[in-house]
Amino acid sequence: MTNAEPAAAHHATSALRVSNLRFAYRGADGGFTLRVHDLTLARGEQMLLSATSGGGKSTLLQLIAGLMEPDSGTIEVLGRNVHAMRGAARDRYRGAHIGMIFQTFNLLQGFTALENVLAALMFSEVPPGEHRARAAALLTSLGITRHERLVEQLSVGQQQRVAVARAVACSPAVVLADEPTASLDPENAGVAIGLIQQACREKGAALLCVSHDPAIAARFERVQKLADLGGATSPGPQEAAR
Amino acid sequence: MTDWTIVTRSLRARLFSTVTTVASVGVAVALMLVLIMMRSAGREAFERGSGNVHLLVSRDASPLVSVLNGLFYAGAPAKPLMFTEYESLKKSLPVDWAVPVQLGDSYEGKWPVLATNEDFYTKFEPAEHTPWQLAQGTWFAKNFEVVVGAQAARGTGLKLGDKIYLTHGTAGSRGAGSVHVHKEYKYTVVGILKPTGTNHDRVLFTNLPSAWIIHAHDRIEREEHKGQPEHEETEAEHANEKLVTEADLIPEDRKITNIFMRVLTRPGADVGALIPVVMEQMRRDPAFAASPLTVAGPSREIARLMDIVGNIDQILFAMAVVVMVSSGVGIMLALYNSMEQRRRQIAVLRVLGASQPRIFGLILTESAMIGIFGAIAGIGGGLLGAQVAAAVMRERLGLFIDPTLPARGLVAVALGTLALACFAGVVPAVMAYRTSVAKSLRPLV
């Protein structure tokens, strides 16, 4: 098990490395077992992980973000095992090195566009004095001019841009995008993916995008199916057979 | 953007809930403060109002009634004492001074009139170590001169040189038929007093012979009309009447209602121990066997009254505590209800890197803010409420109350409210702490 020193983290060659991951989920709506034998993202690399809906994609991203506990295996972000960290230390690490984008954006309602980006910087390692200028510059570069508008007053397209800005604000090692285009029409979906990819490239962040939308696959150099990595299986006969 | 921004935004987003919760905390705090202030202020007002009197002699039904009537002007004393009784008591007892007082008349039916002698303003002090002081004019020297207390002067607008008539009886006295204005005898205002901060400020003072003359006039009139059917006096009859003078007074006219008494003590001697001895001596005096005197020690009666009132205000205090606690429950419910809507916001903050303790702190801060705003509103409302309550007590009871709460008390109430609010915030904060990020971020369908 790798448990690198914090200083070593930034010298790691890979942004993300998942190995021998196993997570069994059991809920009211049934259960499944998620396996990922090996998934590595180099720094700045962009990858589409395609999977059918409900195939454990969101679960994988939350495991990577350290919001859920795997049964076994390791997840390293910048060479550090996320799950070896506890409580506030893991939250701090997530805030500093991982950005997330959701299908429904999950912006903070009642806060302005600028504040939504500032909220991400609040928990990062960026010095507080730089927050405002950095957030404003980022929003402007993404085409948002009215920074003081409440997010619920923005159009869906603009909300998407705020969500992208928030995800990359802290210059994360990896951005995790969960079905970022699912609620958009094909044309806008293309634009949105373009924005996300551009923003990640500019910030030097690796991008792991999970989606079941085949239309965006062409935009990624690397596309893999979750099933090929190990995949999600329903527990039962198959599980017993192995 | 800081945690503070998140807290204030959240409070503002639920403005109605925030304002009503703050108001309920404010009301509870105000109620608590008014009770605390009025309790100590009321006691002080009562203790202050008896001045330097050791004993109060009257023929009222009970010592407490005699103190309330004789010193706080609650009502006219029931039965009189003869001036001769006063003179013999003064001679037989070891008194420093004894001041005869007659109550029962009023000005405009509202302002009590106290007839007395010069010892009243030279020896009796309305509040201990606070002698009378004239704002204008002089004390009464001749008959039908009147000196007006500070509050009475303000309330009636009387000035030096004004001519007034007095009313026999007060608005509240028994037998409405006996209440009438003595138009025959005109009083002149010769002095206005400075405020003493006591119940005596709403009183008009005159000398005893003036009061006796008015009552002698009534007696003579009754004697003249004896046997005749009762009738309204005509103007002509009225004009023919001869004015009564001091020479017409017979001993029965010389009535008083109370004696203010201070016993002789050496400096440092225990006055409390001497008073019962004097009281006992007075009670045993065969001269009063037929119609016993009521002898009251004002400070003792007030202490007894405060014991009775004390029980009531313990109940009120308990009620205020209950209101306080229920306002705490209100804070908890307001935050608890908001938690359902805020799961997503909390989950997003967690994704952005907020730790569980930080989320816990955010909710607790929010709760504390409601407590702080509530305390501020309550302290403002409480101070205002106490002023209103004091004004009502002054107007209705003539009690001078200075409702102030020491800074330490205010700080204690504010900190108590803060502690209660924090305590109320614990349950919602724990809910927020335990919010499952994974479950709360599922897409809304």
Side-chain angles (χ1 to χ4, degrees):
Chain A
M1 188 186 278
T2 312
N3 195 358
E5 292 299 307
H10 298 282
H11 301 296
T13 50
S14 59
L16 172 68
R17 182 143 187 255
V18 180
S19 43
N20 300 320
L21 180 74
R22 184 180 177 278
F23 173 79
Y25 170 80
R26 266 174 250 302
D29 48 348
F32 60 85
T33 301
L34 177 73
R35 290 168 192 282
V36 176
H37 302 310
D38 182 39
L39 168 63
T40 306
L41 244 71
R43 288 175 150 236
E45 191 182 2
Q46 301 193 340
M47 171 183 177
L48 176 71
L49 196 58
S50 70
T52 51
S53 65
K57 308 184 301 296
S58 301
T59 305
L60 175 60
L61 296 189
Q62 291 186 350
L63 284 164
I64 294 171
L67 295 166
M68 289 174 128
E69 300 294 324
D71 295 328
S72 60
T74 56
I75 296 169
E76 292 169 21
V77 172
L78 280 184
R80 274 194 84 178
N81 186 348
V82 172
H83 294 275
M85 289 180 263
R86 292 282 139 218
R90 191 195 295 177
D91 293 319
R92 216 165 27 243
Y93 198 74
R94 174 172 58 250
H97 302 296
I98 301 171
M100 287 185 95
I101 298 173
F102 305 90
Q103 177 189 339
T104 50
F105 313 145
N106 281 325
L107 296 176
L108 293 170
Q109 304 295 307
F111 291 79
T112 65
L114 186 67
E115 284 167 343
N116 264 273
V117 182
L118 288 172
L121 290 166
M122 254 177 87
F123 306 104
S124 72
E125 289 171 349
V126 178
E130 297 174 20
H131 287 187
R132 194 159 271 272
R134 193 165 172 156
L138 193 54
L139 281 171
T140 307
S141 75
L142 280 160
I144 304 285
T145 48
R146 290 148 136 184
H147 299 175
E148 301 301 333
R149 270 274 179 102
L150 294 178
V151 287
E152 52 267 43
Q153 294 170 352
L154 299 175
S155 69
V156 174
Q158 286 173 318
Q159 289 187 28
Q160 170 104 53
R161 286 159 198 260
V162 175
V164 173
R166 189 178 69 180
V168 300
C170 61
S171 302
V174 59
V175 170
L176 308 171
D178 187 359
E179 299 273 13
T181 60
S183 51
L184 304 174
D185 58 69
E187 193 182 330
N188 281 314
V191 174
I193 285 296
L195 277 172
I196 294 170
Q197 289 182 318
Q198 175 71 15
C200 288
R201 221 167 278 134
E202 278 167 14
K203 292 283 177 184
L207 171 65
L208 177 64
C209 181
V210 294
S211 176
H212 66 280
D213 183 359
I216 61 170
R219 296 182 166 269
F220 285 86
E221 289 172 9
R222 188 175 166 199
V223 180
Q224 261 187 301
K225 283 187 180 155
L226 182 56
D228 296 340
L229 294 169
T233 50
S234 299
Q238 288 167 303
E239 186 80 347
R242 288 180 194 224
Chain B
M1 177 112 165
T2 57
D3 290 24
W4 182 245
T5 323
I6 296 172
V7 169
T8 51
R9 270 316 145 78
S10 167
L11 286 172
R12 220 184 305 160
R14 294 173 293 113
L15 195 60
F16 182 75
S17 157
T18 302
V19 169
T20 49
T21 317
V22 164
S24 89
V25 176
V27 166
V29 171
L31 188 63
M32 185 75 111
L33 283 178
V34 169
L35 274 171
I36 294 173
M37 283 191 277
M38 295 317 274
R39 180 163 60 168
S40 51
R43 187 181 295 260
E44 269 166 33
F46 267 112
E47 279 161 6
R48 186 176 161 81
S50 53
N52 61 349
V53 171
H54 282 160
L55 291 175
L56 181 70
V57 181
S58 72
R59 282 215 159 91
D60 276 315
S62 79
L64 180 57
V65 169
S66 89
V67 170
L68 291 177
N69 286 347
L71 286 170
F72 295 93
Y73 309 97
K79 283 192 314 194
L81 286 113
M82 289 300 138
F83 194 69
T84 49
E85 290 177 306
Y86 155 74
E87 284 171 319
S88 72
L89 271 179
K90 190 181 175 184
K91 248 178 273 166
S92 65
L93 292 172
V95 296
D96 183 359
W97 47 257
V99 181
V101 160
Q102 193 210 65
L103 289 166
D105 290 347
S106 68
Y107 173 60
E108 291 179 341
K110 184 180 171 191
W111 308 93
V113 173
L114 183 148
T116 183
N117 63 15
E118 73 280 0
D119 284 348
F120 184 84
Y121 55 85
T122 54
K123 303 205 165 126
F124 168 69
E125 294 174 352
E128 212 141 10
H129 311 303
T130 316
W132 295 103
Q133 282 185 298
L134 283 156
Q136 300 167 44
T138 60
W139 276 93
F140 48 81
K142 300 202 297 282
N143 290 350
F144 300 109
E145 287 184 341
V146 68
V147 175
V148 185
Q151 196 199 348
R154 224 180 22 246
T156 58
L158 287 175
K159 300 181 301 295
L160 286 189
D162 282 356
K163 308 279 183 200
I164 59 170
Y165 302 110
L166 299 187
T167 312
H168 179 56
T170 54
S173 63
R174 266 163 285 175
S178 67
V179 179
H180 58 273
V181 178
H182 291 283
K183 287 258 179 177
E184 306 85 357
Y185 302 94
K186 210 181 265 178
Y187 283 76
T188 307
V189 177
V190 295
I192 308 279
L193 291 165
K194 282 188 181 166
T196 64
T198 66
N199 31 293
H200 303 291
D201 283 353
R202 64 187 181 109
V203 180
L204 282 69
F205 305 93
T206 184
N207 70 355
L208 281 167
S210 306
W212 292 337
I213 287 168
I214 293 184
H215 294 197
H217 176 95
D218 284 357
R219 171 182 58 80
I220 291 163
E221 209 165 72
R222 269 199 307 278
E223 283 166 2
E224 282 171 359
H225 295 303
K226 221 172 203 167
Q228 300 174 15
E230 228 173 278
H231 72 295
E232 275 295 306
E233 221 171 37
T234 64
E235 281 297 317
E237 273 176 330
H238 206 86
N240 287 339
E241 270 173 12
K242 181 173 73 78
L243 284 186
V244 178
T245 66
E246 217 171 329
D248 298 318
L249 296 177
I250 60 168
E252 283 71 39
D253 292 327
R254 297 172 188 270
K255 288 173 186 162
I256 59 171
T257 56
N258 299 84
I259 305 169
F260 293 4
M261 210 178 263
R262 191 173 174 88
V263 296
L264 271 175
T265 51
R266 284 187 311 279
D270 186 3
V271 181
L274 190 56
I275 290 170
V277 178
V278 176
M279 282 169 76
E280 201 43 46
Q281 190 180 339
M282 227 183 297
R283 282 209 189 94
R284 277 204 310 251
D285 195 325
F288 306 110
S291 179
L293 295 174
T294 300
V295 185
S299 48
R300 213 174 75 176
E301 294 310 317
I302 286 160
R304 270 183 45 198
L305 177 66
M306 285 301 147
D307 279 351
I308 301 166
V309 177
N311 287 334
I312 297 166
D313 70 27
Q314 270 173 16
I315 294 167
L316 289 175
F317 191 77
M319 281 165 66
V321 168
V322 170
V323 173
M324 214 49 203
V325 168
S326 77
S327 79
V329 172
I331 297 179
M332 191 186 79
L333 280 179
L335 290 175
Y336 183 94
N337 288 337
S338 79
M339 277 302 130
E340 265 321 301
Q341 306 149 20
R342 293 173 65 190
R343 282 186 186 286
R344 184 168 288 264
Q345 186 198 62
I346 289 163
V348 171
L349 290 172
R350 290 293 314 284
V351 165
L352 295 179
S355 63
Q356 282 175 305
R358 198 150 170 185
I359 297 289
F360 184 88
L362 282 176
I363 304 299
L364 211 60
T365 308
E366 210 171 290
S367 188
M369 286 314 297
I370 292 175
I372 289 169
F373 288 137
I376 291 169
I379 287 169
L383 294 177
L384 199 74
Q387 292 299 335
V388 171
V392 169
M393 300 265 275
R394 191 154 53 220
E395 199 60 34
R396 297 276 163 83
L397 305 173
L399 268 186
F400 273 80
I401 284 178
D402 181 20
T404 52
L405 191 65
R408 238 180 46 193
L410 282 180
V411 169
V413 170
L415 287 181
T417 312
L418 183 60
L420 180 80
C422 288
F423 187 70
V426 166
V427 169
V430 166
M431 283 173 75
Y433 182 94
R434 294 167 62 171
T435 294
S436 157
V437 181
K439 279 183 197 158
S440 307
L441 285 181
R442 285 197 186 133
L444 292 168
V445 182

